[in-house]
Amino acid sequence: MRIAMIGLGRMGANIARRLMRGGHEIVAFDRNPPLVDMLAGEGATAAASLEEVAAKLESPRIFWVMLPAGPPTESTIEMLMGLASPGDIIIDGGNSFYKDDIRRAKLCAMKGLHYVDVGTSGGVWGLDRGYCMMIGGDAATLDSLDPLFEAMAPGFGTIARTPDRGGPNEDTRAEKGYIHAGPAGSGHFVKMVHNGIEYGLMQAYAEGFDILKGKSSAKLPEDERFDLNLTDIAEVWRRGSVISSWLLDLTATALAKDQMLEQFSGQVADSGEGHWTIEAAMEEAVPAYVLSAALFARYRSRVDTTFGDKLLSAMRFGFGGHVEMPQ
């Protein structure tokens, strides 16, 4: 299949590369020409404008937008709606607010266009590991795009299959790493909650290791102080422990490089999904103690930084390449 990739940052460029590995053709565009040139050197077709992107695709055209949520995505999709023809497909693979997807899908439908939202997880590792995708849109459009999603997804891999799966209402593609979550907006809604959970998991690790590090504090009675090796603890927890995870793997890697995590500022950013998850919880009257506390801890980290905050920065760098270094 031939698809346009609009936005060639950390995620967009690697998604394009993985699709090319799967035999698909990429028309590449970014406002930063060197990024386009780099991907063109790897086999993509370069485009210098959105108009040129549209001209280099055949109907029905597929436009994949991989840009930061908010104005960059909004303005780009608006321009594509003006360039697209009935039957064309616009995909937002970034981290847009799901209510924006619902609105855009309605506008696209009025023009005879199909709109698909793809919550995409995998970070900088997705090129080799594959991407977990939560997809919103109409079933027929998603089925037409399935070869793209299958090429991007991790596949069955080595993960043991879940016992008792196989019911009539289950999406068999979940075992490959992608699902049709529901109508437009549902893909980004599921990804939003995924990121909210991510905040909570990361905060739990950060606080736990902060407590371990603090056990050597001079504030404690001398006979109750332990000088614990955090690198060894992270490593042993990776092996057979009930709290083993990819986030713990990244934690162990960061601590092995520098147990004090001096390269990280600990001023932890949030990209919006945690905030939106708490908003959804309030709208649904669902208590979300852990997720809200994890979000507020990130706000606090920008005023008063702890070792745990540095660990959060280290994990964010590990899975997404997010840079939070001391200034």
Side-chain angles (χ1 to χ4, degrees):
M1 298 180 72
R2 190 174 178 87
I3 177 175
M5 184 61 62
I6 300 164
L8 304 176
R10 288 189 298 264
M11 291 282 284
N14 278 348
I15 289 173
R17 291 184 178 104
R18 188 167 177 91
L19 286 171
M20 287 192 290
R21 286 183 183 180
H24 299 286
E25 298 178 12
I26 297 294
V27 176
F29 173 70
D30 193 281
R31 292 176 62 183
N32 186 356
L35 296 179
V36 178
D37 295 340
M38 181 181 297
L39 211 59
E42 299 174 33
T45 298
S49 67
L50 291 178
E51 290 80 4
E52 188 175 347
V53 167
K56 291 185 174 182
L57 295 173
E58 296 180 0
S59 182
R61 294 174 290 190
I62 306 169
F63 304 95
W64 186 301
V65 178
M66 204 69 192
L67 295 169
T73 293
E74 194 70 43
S75 60
T76 300
I77 290 178
E78 184 176 343
M79 291 179 66
L80 289 175
M81 288 172 61
L83 294 169
S85 302
D88 290 348
I89 302 169
I90 297 175
I91 303 170
D92 180 3
N95 280 327
S96 287
F97 186 40
Y98 76 98
K99 292 184 181 180
D100 289 334
D101 293 312
I102 296 171
R103 171 179 51 80
R104 292 179 196 139
K106 292 176 181 177
L107 293 173
C108 284
M110 293 171 61
K111 294 177 175 287
L113 309 175
H114 302 287
Y115 183 89
V116 175
D117 56 290
V118 183
T120 314
S121 181
V124 295
W125 299 85
L127 175 59
D128 296 317
R129 290 169 56 111
Y131 297 92
C132 171
M133 290 168 286
M134 300 132 271
I135 310 164
D138 69 90
T141 300
L142 266 63
D143 287 345
S144 74
L145 297 170
D146 196 73
L148 298 174
F149 298 137
E150 187 165 23
M152 286 176 58
F156 290 105
T158 59
I159 298 175
R161 303 184 76 169
T162 302
D164 302 322
R165 273 190 61 85
N169 296 323
E170 294 174 356
D171 190 337
T172 58
R173 295 167 293 190
E175 292 183 306
K176 297 180 183 180
Y178 63 107
I179 59 167
H180 180 198
S186 63
H188 278 150
F189 181 81
V190 175
K191 176 58 162 54
M192 176 190 80
V193 177
H194 163 285
N195 283 24
I197 292 171
E198 175 188 293
Y199 281 30
L201 292 172
M202 292 172 66
Q203 189 64 31
Y205 283 125
E207 292 177 7
F209 277 93
D210 218 351
I211 294 168
L212 292 170
K213 181 177 180 295
K215 193 56 178 170
S216 63
S217 172
K219 297 178 182 178
L220 298 173
E222 188 172 356
D223 62 349
E224 295 181 10
R225 300 175 199 165
F226 303 146
D227 187 12
L228 301 170
N229 188 307
L230 303 187
T231 304
D232 287 346
I233 293 169
E235 187 62 31
V236 76
W237 282 353
R238 294 181 62 221
R239 304 175 186 279
S241 163
V242 297
I243 63 168
S244 59
S245 72
W246 185 33
L247 290 172
L248 184 59
D249 294 345
L250 297 173
T251 296
T253 298
L255 290 170
K257 290 179 180 177
D258 174 16
Q259 192 163 166
M260 299 306 294
L261 304 176
E262 295 292 351
Q263 74 175 105
F264 298 102
S265 70
Q267 295 177 349
V268 189
D270 68 285
S271 53
E273 296 93 334
H275 177 94
W276 298 334
T277 300
I278 304 310
E279 279 189 354
M282 290 190 294
E283 290 173 355
E284 300 168 22
V286 173
Y289 305 110
V290 172
L291 306 190
S292 56
L295 176 63
F296 295 152
R298 293 193 176 199
Y299 295 161
R300 188 263 311 138
S301 75
R302 297 164 210 169
V303 178
D304 181 28
T305 300
T306 67
F307 177 78
D309 297 328
K310 292 185 176 184
L311 193 59
L312 288 175
S313 289
M315 282 186 274
R316 280 172 49 78
F317 179 75
F319 67 70
H322 305 290
V323 178
E324 294 164 348
M325 307 303 185
Q327 299 300 312

